[in-house]
Amino acid sequence: MTEHLTPHEGRKAPAARPTAPADPRGALLRSPQTPQGARDTSPGASVPPTSEHSQPSASEPDPGRPRPAPDGVPAQPGPSGPPDGEERRTGRPRPPGSGPTAMRRDGDRLRFVGAATRRIARGIDLDEIVMGLCRATVPTFSDAILVYLRDPLPVGDERPTGPLVLRLRRTDRLRSIEEGAEEPDTDGGTPPSLQVVQPDITDVMGTAELCEVRHGGALAEVLRGVRPVFADSAAARAALPELLGEGRTVPTGQRAILAPLRGRRRVIGAAVFLRRPDRPAFEADDLLVAAQLATHSALGIDKAVLYGREAYIADELQRTMLPETLPRPTGVRLASRYLPAAETARVGGDWYDAIPLPGSRVALVVGDVMGHSMTSAAIMGQLRTTAQTLAGLDLPPQEVLHHLDEQAQRLGSDRMATCLYAVYDPVSHRITIANAGHPPPVLLHLGGRAEVLRVPPGAPIGVGGVDFEAVELDAPAGATLLLYTDGLVESRLRDVWTGIEQLRERLAATAQLTGPDHPPPLEALCDEVLDMLGPGDRDDDIALLAARFDGIAPSDVAYWFLEPEDATPSRARRLARSALVRWGLEDLTDSVELLVSEVVTNAVRYASRPITLRLLRTDVLRCEVGDDVPQLPRLRQARATDEGGRGLYLVNKMARRWGATRLSTGKVVWFELNRN
């Protein structure tokens, strides 16, 4: 109803206008009507006198003052109030016996769920997520918690076989200081005073570790229903004894919640939340809190299991592509190390390899595919296989890199890698190196001097259209060549050249410990090199290959050129006999003459150019026969009517090892005999 004023009355405020209700949000949300005591700034309005000392009306509560709690509901701190377990005025822990305050407001529950889910989401692996659930709920939401998970946990779309078995993964409870427990982590807030655990919760915490869920049983029905239930419900009364074991008692009333943990596709476990008798029981809204905690935990567990399986597969993929054991070529000793990157990026594309070549030579390879993924590991495997195939063709190092570059371009336009390929010849004591954008190797001399080898840098593999160069250097006996990937010398804390200089100094310092006449042991040297890594230096995976050059002395080598004619086998037998006499190996004369005669006869039959015969005396006696025919001999069983075909059969029976390797100019057939 509108009040009309007469001219004699003028404009006055109504005598009895309803007072607007108090609103803590301030004047912006008040009623459009002008409340009593406010100024009316409309045209012609009379402004009543005001005083700076005037007090608010008793009918209008002060918005800044907290409202009294309703009867029967304990007062709760607001969003800016002290955390649970502290006095409002002093901020000190409450005295023993007070306990955590129950959550009575929806805002308290929302804040708790938000903080708890953030804590659960921090975890990456399974244990971190389960621990995050326990630490977030005890003691803020419950006094104890039991977390059960399927055993084994299914991964992705994997369909579990066999019965459903739950294993107690973790328990957590509020313990007293008298028990010697540390104060529980309450995620930043001051922890409440610890209370003595009641016997009912202690009894539950000693539950059985394994539980087989019976098909069609009460526990199976609760897990299938997914929704959390109170312990006093009909379903939970039958399900909890099956889960906890016979004879275990659960707190009476609404002091326990059974919450199934459901992942993306199936139930993967269950959680039991417990409260002591001296604490307020759970309310209906707490079921929603338990459901949120269970859902976030289950999804996090699913994610952690999937991540763990993918990391395991990628790690196994990469490790199976690396050599399980290194060969033991003549005249060189080898050692290697491989370290994955940090746990969050374990997969990489670093690799190393040692490939025996004809003529007692060995190819040393180290490479690094750009990126950290399963794709990088797969490309690494393809490039390593290509390098092994090219090494078997005995191509020069620069040609090997050229073909690797072509292979990388066929794999994709963005497939790039660095690689260093070196060939060591123990007879000539020389090493030939070609580089494709890789850090240079370091040569540790016998006297203790460490030298960074000057090799052409080259462009990375995959760039295309570039020419690779090779350089031939001395490889003196007793020296150690160290090949590595950039993860060893480069990180966020140092550039690559600073790391190379630190590596050189570390090698020189290690060599000083053993003296100038004795090189450091290879395995210990590799460990010392890896010890130079600091806490922030594991940004990338690391591949390390160390080669100790022993070489073969000229006095232990006998080498001849023989024309392919009928008298050549007999001449080869005489030359071999004289070399064995000079070396004091007369006991091997009969075996060596027979095998040399068979291999040389086969070479003479098909060769058109001079053949080569070489004997090497190391820990074994090695014989190599080379010719210009690329076809490799094959072992076959000769028939009774055949006049030939038994030479390789004799070699296979009498030699310690034998083989044939194709060269760019023909092939080499070799065999080894034990010296004793």
Side-chain angles (χ1 to χ4, degrees):
M1 180 180 70
T2 305
E3 182 179 2
H4 299 279
L5 304 178
T6 62
H8 299 284
E9 293 175 330
R11 293 185 177 270
K12 295 182 181 179
R17 180 173 293 178
T19 302
D23 193 321
R25 290 174 292 183
L28 292 177
L29 299 180
R30 290 181 178 175
S31 171
Q33 296 178 348
T34 305
Q36 183 178 2
R39 298 185 181 183
D40 188 355
T41 58
S42 59
S46 60
V47 180
T50 59
S51 172
E52 61 180 354
H53 300 289
S54 59
Q55 300 295 328
S57 172
S59 60
E60 293 185 32
D62 186 2
R65 182 178 301 172
R67 291 177 291 181
D71 295 339
V73 179
Q76 298 293 324
S80 60
D84 289 342
E86 293 183 1
E87 294 288 350
R88 178 182 297 274
R89 296 180 181 273
T90 64
R92 299 176 180 176
R94 291 190 179 94
S98 60
T101 306
M103 292 182 293
R104 295 286 185 177
R105 293 182 181 178
D106 292 340
D108 294 337
R109 289 187 174 87
L110 290 176
R111 284 191 295 271
F112 166 73
V113 170
T117 53
R118 286 193 299 271
R119 177 153 198 165
I120 294 170
R122 293 178 196 165
I124 296 178
D125 60 13
L126 182 62
D127 292 332
E128 290 179 350
I129 293 174
V130 175
M131 181 183 293
L133 171 63
C134 295
R135 295 294 177 86
T137 54
V138 178
T140 308
F141 181 69
S142 63
D143 298 316
I145 183 175
L146 297 91
V147 181
Y148 290 83
L149 296 180
R150 293 185 71 147
D151 187 26
L153 276 169
V155 181
D157 296 328
E158 181 181 285
R159 291 185 175 274
T161 59
L164 171 58
V165 177
L166 297 181
R167 178 182 293 274
L168 183 61
R169 185 78 183 193
R170 185 177 177 87
T171 63
D172 205 352
R173 64 187 177 105
L174 188 64
R175 292 185 293 175
S176 63
I177 298 178
E178 288 78 4
E179 291 179 307
E182 297 180 357
E183 296 186 350
D185 189 353
T186 55
D187 199 17
T190 302
S193 299
L194 303 180
Q195 304 298 316
V196 177
V197 178
Q198 298 299 325
D200 51 352
I201 292 184
T202 306
D203 182 66
V204 172
M205 300 303 289
T207 182
E209 184 179 357
L210 289 177
C211 167
E212 183 174 343
V213 181
R214 297 190 300 270
H215 181 71
L219 180 58
E221 293 298 325
V222 173
L223 295 179
R224 188 178 298 111
V226 179
R227 297 175 181 272
V229 293
F230 286 123
D232 60 353
S233 63
R237 281 198 301 268
L240 282 174
E242 182 181 349
L243 178 65
L244 304 178
E246 297 296 336
R248 301 296 179 184
T249 59
V250 180
T252 59
Q254 295 182 355
R255 300 188 180 277
I257 295 178
L258 174 58
L261 302 178
R262 180 175 179 82
R264 292 173 176 84
R265 294 172 179 85
R266 60 183 65 87
V267 174
I268 60 174
V272 181
F273 303 94
L274 303 163
R275 280 188 181 177
R276 302 188 310 268
D278 60 335
R279 188 174 178 184
F282 289 109
E283 299 177 355
D285 289 341
D286 291 327
L287 291 178
L288 300 178
V289 176
Q292 288 287 335
L293 297 176
T295 299
H296 282 275
S297 300
L299 294 177
I301 291 171
D302 252 1
K303 177 187 66 176
V305 172
L306 285 172
Y307 173 78
R309 174 63 63 87
E310 291 178 358
Y312 171 79
I313 293 174
D315 189 58
E316 286 298 310
L317 172 65
Q318 183 175 16
R319 290 189 178 275
T320 53
M321 291 180 179
L322 295 174
E324 293 184 2
T325 58
L326 292 173
R328 302 179 62 183
T330 303
V332 62
R333 285 175 286 171
L334 302 172
S336 63
R337 293 290 187 275
Y338 174 78
L339 289 181
E343 291 295 326
T344 54
R346 298 182 61 180
V347 185
D350 292 15
W351 89 91
Y352 61 89
D353 215 341
I355 309 168
L357 299 177
S360 300
R361 297 171 300 153
V362 60
L364 307 174
V365 191
V366 66
D368 183 5
V369 178
M370 297 182 183
H372 296 87
S373 64
M374 293 186 65
T375 303
S376 302
I379 295 174
M380 177 267 287
Q382 292 175 309
L383 293 180
R384 177 174 178 248
T385 303
T386 304
Q388 289 180 327
T389 304
L390 296 171
L393 299 176
D394 198 29
L395 297 178
Q398 64 271 21
E399 290 296 323
V400 172
L401 295 184
H402 175 74
H403 289 292
L404 283 177
D405 180 61
E406 292 181 341
Q407 176 66 11
Q409 294 180 65
R410 284 190 290 267
L411 295 176
S413 58
D414 57 343
R415 309 307 188 195
M416 299 182 65
T418 63
C419 182
L420 192 142
Y421 189 94
V423 175
Y424 169 65
D425 189 345
V427 176
S428 64
H429 296 268
R430 303 282 289 177
I431 186 169
T432 306
I433 305 175
N435 189 15
H438 204 78
V442 179
L443 184 64
L444 178 62
H445 293 269
L446 184 59
R449 181 174 63 92
E451 174 189 7
V452 179
L453 297 182
R454 296 182 179 181
V455 297
I461 292 172
V463 174
V466 296
D467 187 24
F468 298 100
E469 300 179 23
V471 59
E472 187 174 355
L473 304 172
D474 288 330
T480 304
L481 183 69
L482 198 70
L483 309 179
Y484 53 90
T485 57
D486 59 353
L488 179 65
V489 295
E490 185 180 20
S491 69
R492 293 172 294 176
L493 305 179
R494 59 182 177 182
D495 62 88
V496 61
W497 289 108
T498 301
I500 292 175
E501 180 61 22
Q502 292 178 0
L503 173 62
R504 189 193 64 80
E505 294 175 355
R506 188 62 175 260
L507 289 175
T510 305
Q512 296 298 328
L513 300 178
T514 58
D517 299 330
H518 298 86
L522 275 183
E523 299 293 338
L525 182 65
C526 292
D527 294 336
E528 285 292 330
V529 168
L530 294 181
D531 285 343
M532 66 178 283
L533 296 173
D537 295 338
R538 291 292 301 280
D539 302 329
D540 196 2
D541 50 341
I542 299 171
L544 178 66
L545 180 62
R548 173 71 45 76
F549 300 142
D550 294 333
I552 300 176
S555 59
D556 293 330
V557 180
Y559 193 86
W560 303 279
F561 286 95
L562 304 174
E563 293 294 333
E565 52 192 21
D566 296 339
T568 300
S570 60
R571 184 186 177 195
R573 290 194 297 268
R574 292 194 303 270
L575 294 174
R577 186 188 312 118
S578 62
L580 294 177
V581 172
R582 186 170 66 251
W583 291 336
L585 300 176
E586 293 88 349
D587 296 342
L588 300 178
T589 301
D590 294 338
S591 299
V592 171
E593 285 188 1
L594 177 59
L595 298 184
V596 166
S597 178
E598 293 295 338
V599 176
V600 171
T601 299
N602 188 72
V604 169
R605 180 176 302 174
Y606 302 102
S608 58
R609 297 180 181 179
I611 64 175
T612 59
L613 173 63
R614 185 166 73 168
L615 295 179
L616 302 174
R617 183 184 64 167
T618 57
D619 54 341
V620 296
L621 180 66
R622 181 183 177 97
C623 176
E624 300 173 350
V625 177
D627 57 53
D628 60 344
V629 181
Q631 286 78 17
L632 300 181
R634 301 297 180 189
L635 181 64
R636 64 183 180 88
Q637 188 71 33
R639 293 174 296 181
T641 58
D642 292 341
E643 295 183 359
R646 296 176 178 83
L648 286 182
Y649 181 79
L650 292 175
V651 174
N652 184 61
K653 286 295 184 181
M654 299 180 61
R656 174 178 176 266
R657 290 194 311 157
W658 76 278
T661 306
R662 183 178 286 110
L663 305 177
S664 57
T665 58
K667 69 175 181 295
V668 168
V669 180
W670 57 270
F671 63 85
E672 294 177 351
L673 293 173
N674 292 322
R675 293 177 53 179
N676 298 328

